[in-house]
Amino acid sequence: MQPRIQVQTTDFELSEEYQRLRDNPACGAVVTFTGLVRELVQGNLTGMTLEHYPGMTESALTDICQQAAQRWELGSITVIHRVGSLGLNDQIVFVGVAAAHRQAAFMAAEFIMDYLKTRAPFWKQEHTTAGSYWVDAKTKDQLAAARWHTSEAEG
């Protein structure tokens, strides 16, 4: 199975991505996740800029998806990640997984998202009413990815 990976500045259409994932009659489950630009706790976010390392980013995302496919029996995987300038409530990322059974689809989608947050070369700059700053890696994201190293988390 070759995952569908896209890094793009343009938005994506959820219904089209869902339709692509359910195109396999051997799959009885489709799980999708869509990440959005959300307001900060302080309520002063005006937007963000996402940057990436072309070529390296797609390679890292492909590797993450291949790891998921080795852990769980999957029919198809789609990962779309936007880069460039984004506003509040814009779609940032789409992760979709089709599998014969729901548990594999849920677990694989969560695994992909956890690893994407910690292993894919994206850089995020948040723009607020007080100025702009680059966002550091979050400990909670590292902890979420680390849980997949335990045998209980595997398929």
Side-chain angles (χ1 to χ4, degrees), residues 90-108:
D90 281 353
Q91 298 180 128
I92 303 170
V93 62
F94 174 88
V95 172
V97 178
H101 304 285
R102 72 179 185 274
Q103 185 179 20
F106 273 114
M107 291 181 77

Side-chain angles (χ1 to χ4, degrees), residues 8 16 35-36 49 55 68 78 85 87 97 100 106-108 113 120 126 150:
Q8 61 193 44
E16 290 174 14
L36 308 173
T49 302
T78 298
S85 297
V97 178
F106 273 114
M107 291 181 77
M113 197 61 221
E126 291 182 341
T150 66

Side-chain angles (χ1 to χ4, degrees), residues 2-138:
Q2 183 64 29
R4 184 166 170 268
I5 307 291
Q6 290 186 243
V7 179
Q8 61 193 44
T9 57
T10 57
D11 202 3
F12 50 87
E13 178 56 49
L14 289 175
S15 62
E16 290 174 14
E17 299 309 325
Y18 174 77
Q19 284 303 119
R20 279 189 187 100
L21 287 163
R22 63 179 293 224
D23 199 25
N24 183 344
C27 293
V30 173
V31 170
T32 66
F33 169 80
T34 306
L36 308 173
V37 177
R38 70 174 186 281
E39 181 59 88
L40 300 171
V41 174
Q42 302 91 329
N44 63 354
L45 186 73
T46 59
M48 70 171 52
T49 302
L50 287 162
E51 295 184 3
H52 76 114
Y53 193 101
M56 181 184 270
T57 303
E58 292 83 354
S59 178
L61 293 173
T62 299
D63 182 58
I64 292 165
C65 292
Q66 288 172 342
Q67 288 180 54
Q70 289 171 358
R71 289 174 178 248
W72 299 281
E73 190 174 328
L74 306 176
S76 59
I77 302 171
T78 298
V79 175
I80 301 171
H81 205 297
R82 293 182 64 197
V83 293
S85 297
L86 299 170
L88 287 174
N89 214 38
D90 281 353
Q91 298 180 128
I92 303 170
V93 62
F94 174 88
V95 172
V97 178
H101 304 285
R102 72 179 185 274
Q103 185 179 20
F106 273 114
M107 291 181 77
E110 194 169 6
F111 170 89
I112 292 166
M113 197 61 221
D114 287 346
Y115 270 42
L116 183 154
K117 294 280 288 183
T118 58
R119 297 186 178 185
F122 289 102
W123 297 275
K124 179 168 65 171
Q125 185 179 45
E126 291 182 341
H127 308 292
T128 70
T129 54
S132 297
Y133 57 90
W134 291 99
V135 177
D136 292 326
K138 295 183 174 124

